[in-house]
Amino acid sequence: MKKRIAVLTGAGVSAESGLGTYRDNGGLWDNYDPMEVASIEGWYRNRKLVLDFYNMQRAKLAEASPNEAHRLIASLENGYAVDVITQNVDNLHERAGSTHVVHLHGEATKVRPENTFNDEDGFSEKYVFDIGYEEVNPGDKGANGVQLRPHIVFFGEAVPKMEQAIGIVEKADIILIVGTSLQVYPAAGLYRYASPEAAIYVIDPADVPLFEPRIRHIRKVATEGMKDFIDILK
Ligand code: OAD
């Protein structure tokens, strides 16, 4: 049986594709207040501001391409059973060829009516649809006649895919964490569900708040660190 690798990624894996991270110097949250543009309270306060922010993210994504780190992660599928669990709302893992990608925080290229994908409808993706890189504006409505919103997990909302992600991490032989500051829960706690036998690697040029002695930190950018990781697997 193939060994299982769970790859947990954050904004750092897409940094070399030209998409800014959130918390580095000059990152998105230096220029925008997440509570205004990416929280559920912000959405109800000012939908236009939130829609414009994600229109901008979609436009940037249209110009971006997967980098060597996304491609090397996809290439792991040649020898391993690989699941990518990403906090990223971009589609660069899929465009690089990864076939099992769980988007914990939603997807910038998808929208849904604002009254769907909640406890009431059991988080059914029935009304979620692909909008590609198009804009969404106040007044744009879904099939049920209700205002469309980005298919993003806003601050203040549940993370419906956590259970699926935990199941993947528990079964993995190897956990690889790439480019996340591990500041945002519950995603940041996922690696703690690793089995005691699992090997855990982190690729990040900066310090990361991980304290288990078995964790091996490859202190490099994603494209370089992925090459080291693949050498370690050989
Ligand atoms: P952050 O911006 O918090 O962290 C980015 C991490 O990437 C940091 O640890 C950097 O050191 C690292 N990094 C920077 N350049 C890198 C490179 N070239 N290669 C590898 N690593 C690099 O981003 P996330 O941890 O992904 O949520 O943020 C988590 C969540 O917070 C996001 O999903 C987003 C945000 O608010 C939502 O919007 C719901």
Side-chain angles (χ1 to χ4, degrees):
M1 232 181 28
K2 283 182 177 173
K3 280 196 172 178
R4 309 195 70 91
I5 305 185
V7 187
L8 317 182
T9 67
V13 77
S14 297
E16 291 163 87
S17 292
L19 298 177
T21 62
Y22 295 94
R23 295 178 184 78
D24 288 304
N25 264 342
L28 267 174
W29 295 158
D30 270 357
N31 298 306
Y32 296 89
D33 178 352
M35 291 306 136
E36 294 294 328
V37 299
S39 79
I40 187 64
E41 295 84 1
W43 170 254
Y44 286 117
R45 226 173 7 243
N46 189 343
R47 289 174 176 79
K48 181 164 166 41
L49 198 70
V50 177
L51 288 170
D52 283 349
F53 177 75
Y54 284 101
N55 287 341
M56 181 187 77
Q57 300 307 314
R58 244 175 258 119
K60 276 202 262 175
L61 186 52
E63 301 296 316
S65 305
N67 65 51
E68 192 61 12
H70 297 106
R71 282 191 287 274
L72 290 174
I73 289 168
S75 78
L76 296 173
E77 293 188 18
N78 294 328
Y80 297 85
V82 182
D83 287 284
V84 177
I85 301 168
T86 187
Q87 296 168 76
N88 297 345
V89 300
D90 67 48
N91 55 9
L92 298 181
H93 283 301
E94 288 91 338
R95 283 161 60 192
S98 284
T99 58
H100 291 91
V101 184
V102 175
H103 282 274
L104 273 184
H105 293 163
E107 294 171 73
T109 51
K110 293 185 178 172
V111 293
R112 65 175 196 261
E114 66 174 8
N115 65 338
T116 61
F117 201 71
N118 50 26
D119 264 338
E120 253 155 67
D121 70 11
F123 293 103
S124 153
E125 299 207 359
K126 189 165 85 175
Y127 290 103
V128 177
F129 68 94
D130 226 297
I131 194 161
Y133 305 109
E134 304 276 302
E135 281 191 2
V136 192
N137 292 299
D140 292 346
K141 292 179 178 154
N144 64 356
V146 173
Q147 173 68 47
L148 291 174
R149 60 163 274 178
H151 185 47
I152 298 286
V153 175
F154 290 141
F155 285 105
E157 293 189 307
V159 182
K161 300 225 164 142
M162 256 320 265
E163 248 175 75
Q164 186 189 355
I166 289 169
I168 291 168
V169 171
E170 282 174 342
K171 283 201 227 73
D173 301 294
I174 300 170
I175 316 276
L176 171 64
I177 303 170
V178 188
T180 170
S181 64
L182 296 167
Q183 299 292 311
V184 176
Y185 280 82
L190 258 181
Y191 77 93
R192 298 201 190 125
Y193 292 90
S195 95
E197 292 80 39
I200 308 182
Y201 296 88
V202 178
I203 299 174
D204 200 299
D207 286 337
V208 276
L210 292 165
F211 305 105
E212 282 196 42
R214 66 172 147 165
I215 294 172
R216 177 151 170 201
H217 187 173
I218 302 170
R219 201 179 284 273
K220 292 189 176 174
V221 294
T223 51
E224 294 304 317
M226 274 309 297
K227 289 181 202 154
D228 288 12
F229 176 73
I230 284 173
D231 282 342
I232 290 168
L233 288 182
K234 280 179 190 159

